[in-house]
Amino acid sequence: MLLETPIFQAYRGEATPRFVNEAELEYAKLLDYYGVPWMYEPHTFVLERDEDGRVTEAFTPDFYLPEQDLYLEVTVMKQSLVTRKNRKLRKLRALYPDVRIKLFYERDFARLAARYGLQQAS
Amino acid sequence: MTGRSGLDERIGDVYLTADELRARVRELGDEIAHDYAGREPLLVGTLKACIPFIADLSMAMPIAHHLDFVALAGYGHAQLGGHEQIRLLKDLDREIAGRDVVLVDEVVDTGLTLHYLTRTFRLRSPGSLVCAALFDRPYRRLVDDLPIRYVGFTVPDEFFAGYGFDVDERWRNLPDLHLVRRF
């Protein structure tokens, strides 16, 4: 599915963001509408390396809000399927305790969609 | 969609009665009046949902204060595509430089609206700037740096009608706060 690429005004990244699902795009539009500076996947956090120092597990949160120093991770997986993501998040918090991150689940997006009239994937 | 009671069928049970709301608002009014004793704060309401709250709050504050209002273009009215940004449909009637400003908001949810207002008003150099929110729904906060000093109730993640909250622009006038059924 090819997602639209609007002209964003509060986007603070360089490369054009390539969203992987409708929910990411809608969160981006919402942040942009309210003028909250945001970046898309600007940082990757290493979670695990093998004996040779090669990265074997990493986590790249979807959004970073530089003024808030806050990461947002958006998932559209059903609640029952988010165990792996939750585990990664716990690991990230343990390894990088100063990093502030919030995870938004599918149910959160559904609520926001109802409140703001966001586009939901069919 | 009207039920036997004459209300919209989506209007559900009472979550907070008018008496419970007014009692809490009176407490907030006392608290704000105490904090701003000897000063004349400016209460700024965000139209339209805040109307019952700011009216009750103002009457509960036994100190001199001023009232003003702003109206914002909500996201629901924006053209999709991210080309638009939030803007004031109605700005303040007076300057706020050096003034003690209390933003009066019915509910803080994602925090995006309050974030915008805070950012906008700080550019005008108020003496101080805080927010009084009747309801806090902190479950999906997208921004954190918000000057929320007074909170009436932390409410569950539900839709409400009455005491300023609407369903399709109706039922803001209901004195109690009702849950809204979603079909």
Side-chain angles (χ1 to χ4, degrees), chain B residues 90-163:
Chain B
K90 183 212 167 293
D91 205 339
L92 296 170
D93 293 332
R94 65 188 72 219
E95 298 296 325
I96 58 169
R99 298 291 307 268
D100 293 309
V101 177
V102 181
L103 290 169
V104 178
D105 212 346
E106 187 82 353
V107 60
V108 180
D109 196 327
T110 59
L112 290 170
T113 301
L114 180 57
H115 179 264
Y116 169 76
L117 287 174
T118 303
R119 210 178 53 229
T120 301
F121 290 163
R122 278 195 179 134
L123 294 174
R124 303 178 187 184
S125 307
S128 65
L129 180 65
V130 301
C131 173
L134 180 57
F135 302 122
D136 189 14
R137 212 160 29 197
Y139 316 104
R140 260 174 291 285
R141 198 79 93 226
L142 284 167
V143 287
D144 279 340
D145 56 344
L146 303 170
I148 304 171
R149 180 175 295 174
Y150 308 98
V151 172
F153 302 89
T154 298
V155 291
D157 193 18
E158 298 285 350
F159 288 83
F160 295 107
Y163 203 70

Side-chain angles (χ1 to χ4, degrees), chain A residues 9-10 26-38 67-68 112 115-116 118, chain B residues 72-78 82 84-87 110-117 119-120 142-143:
Chain A
Q9 298 180 49
E26 292 297 322
Y27 274 97
K29 284 181 182 175
L30 198 57
L31 292 168
D32 209 71
Y33 181 80
Y34 284 93
V36 180
W38 59 278
E67 285 188 0
Q68 318 275 318
L112 288 175
R115 290 219 163 88
Y116 289 96
L118 307 184
Chain B
L72 295 162
Y75 186 78
H77 299 103
E84 285 196 31
Q85 284 202 300
I86 189 171
R87 66 188 193 286
T110 59
L112 290 170
T113 301
L114 180 57
H115 179 264
Y116 169 76
L117 287 174
R119 210 178 53 229
T120 301
L142 284 167
V143 287

Side-chain angles (χ1 to χ4, degrees), chain A residues 75-111:
Chain A
T75 178
V76 287
M77 287 183 278
K78 296 288 178 197
Q79 203 63 30
S80 56
L81 301 175
V82 298
T83 311
R84 191 163 172 268
K85 186 156 280 192
N86 282 336
R87 191 186 60 78
K88 272 193 165 186
L89 213 66
R90 279 198 299 274
K91 214 164 175 177
L92 183 143
R93 284 179 174 137
L95 290 169
Y96 305 93
D98 294 336
V99 170
R100 298 169 62 238
I101 183 164
K102 291 186 177 184
L103 177 59
F104 287 81
Y105 296 102
E106 192 263 346
R107 61 168 185 242
D108 297 315
F109 182 66
R111 281 287 182 170

Side-chain angles (χ1 to χ4, degrees), chain B residues 9-86:
Chain B
E9 286 180 349
R10 291 170 290 182
I11 306 297
D13 294 338
V14 171
Y15 179 74
L16 289 168
T17 66
D19 286 345
E20 290 170 322
L21 288 162
R22 293 232 165 78
R24 181 67 185 122
V25 174
R26 274 197 298 272
E27 289 174 354
L28 288 178
D30 281 343
E31 196 180 336
I32 295 171
H34 176 266
D35 292 349
Y36 288 84
R39 295 185 277 172
E40 279 195 34
L42 171 67
L43 305 190
V44 175
T46 309
L47 297 171
K48 303 174 231 180
C50 78
I51 292 172
F53 176 38
I54 198 169
D56 286 345
L57 185 67
S58 175
M59 288 187 284
M61 288 174 53
I63 60 168
H65 59 278
H66 296 252
L67 294 175
D68 206 339
F69 294 90
V70 291
L72 295 162
Y75 186 78
H77 299 103
Q79 285 185 355
L80 294 181
H83 300 285
E84 285 196 31
Q85 284 202 300
I86 189 171

